[in-house]
Amino acid sequence: MSISSQGPEGLILGGRYRIVRLIGSGGMANVYLATDMSSGLRVAIKILKPEFTSDEEFIKRFDTEAKAASSLSHPNIVRVFGVGQEGEFSYMVQEYVEGITAKELITQNGHLDWRVAVPIAIQVGMALDHAHQNGIVHRDIKPHNILITRDRIAKVTDFGIARAASNNTITLTSGGALGSVHYFSPEQARGAMVGPSSDIYSLGVLLFEMVTGRVPFDGDTSVAIAIKHLQEPPPLASGFVPGIPAGLDAIIQKSMQKSVDYRYQTIREMVTEMDALMVDPNGSYGIIAKSDI
């Protein structure tokens, strides 16, 4: 049985998880709703696509995602319960989250009111703070990787290219850059060492897109977009949607500075300012400690 022909519906993995139906598809894996027959609970099973099962690099990334995510326990991170191999299937068992992605939420609404978007960004920031405290950088923060429940709880998923923050660059052995170019930090675009500050930049991009309905940098090719991340200052969100507080503009601008030295030094600092913005939208935020920008 293969995913490409009949699909794995009805298959039991690990003697425990019965596949019910396909609920999503990503770049390298399909996601299925499944039932844990030992508990009766619903789980999500991520199964590596057939074309990647013979690719050692993709298998390694798949295992890396499982190990990174399973080491984290936080209410804003999708829990990973385990990984397995059964016949041709490489799979990961994770928490089933009933909801939609932040990307789908943006698409449905055109853009989100900043009072809706900032609490989502705060939750993502708290998830990333937990990951950073445990030595893990996500490296691919984008609205497609944020699940939103009906209660507006945000959960970060797909730590597929997360690696220990201390000893890694963001290129594959084949030289292909990891991450999504619209949400790249400048250091990712350069192929340089990547740390927690890269997630701060990407969270700024996510926040910009949520409140404006568009990405800050776009272009005809991935290279053109990457060059904009490296060279162009980010536009002001308020230039596209009237009524966005100046303080929110400033928070986004600080998080998206080209130099890591001028961004928030920790994701916790950014979360603290977003929290304060929700209490006092007219306050002063995003102060950059340098003589000129």
Side-chain angles (χ1 to χ4, degrees), residues 97-144:
V97 178
E98 192 167 355
I100 61 174
T101 67
K103 186 68 174 181
E104 289 168 328
L105 189 62
I106 295 166
T107 300
Q108 286 178 6
N109 293 277
H111 66 86
L112 307 182
D113 186 281
W114 69 268
R115 298 169 192 85
V116 173
V118 173
I120 290 173
I122 288 170
Q123 293 178 74
V124 174
M126 290 190 297
L128 291 173
D129 180 57
H130 177 74
H132 294 172
Q133 294 293 329
N134 285 275
I136 293 172
V137 179
H138 188 286
R139 298 169 173 270
D140 197 21
I141 288 298
K142 57 184 178 182
H144 317 65

Side-chain angles (χ1 to χ4, degrees), residues 225-246:
I225 298 166
I227 288 172
K228 289 182 180 181
H229 282 295
L230 288 166
Q231 297 181 352
E232 292 188 10
L236 292 175
S238 61
F240 299 97
V241 178
I244 290 176

Side-chain angles (χ1 to χ4, degrees), residues 41 43-44 66 69-82 92-97 147 155-157 159:
L41 297 176
V43 295
S70 63
S71 70
L72 302 173
S73 179
H74 190 275
N76 298 115
I77 295 176
V78 174
R79 291 182 63 195
V80 170
F81 301 121
M92 181 193 313
V93 184
Q94 58 188 39
E95 173 188 5
Y96 172 64
V97 178
L147 297 173
K155 287 180 174 280
V156 180
T157 189
F159 278 77

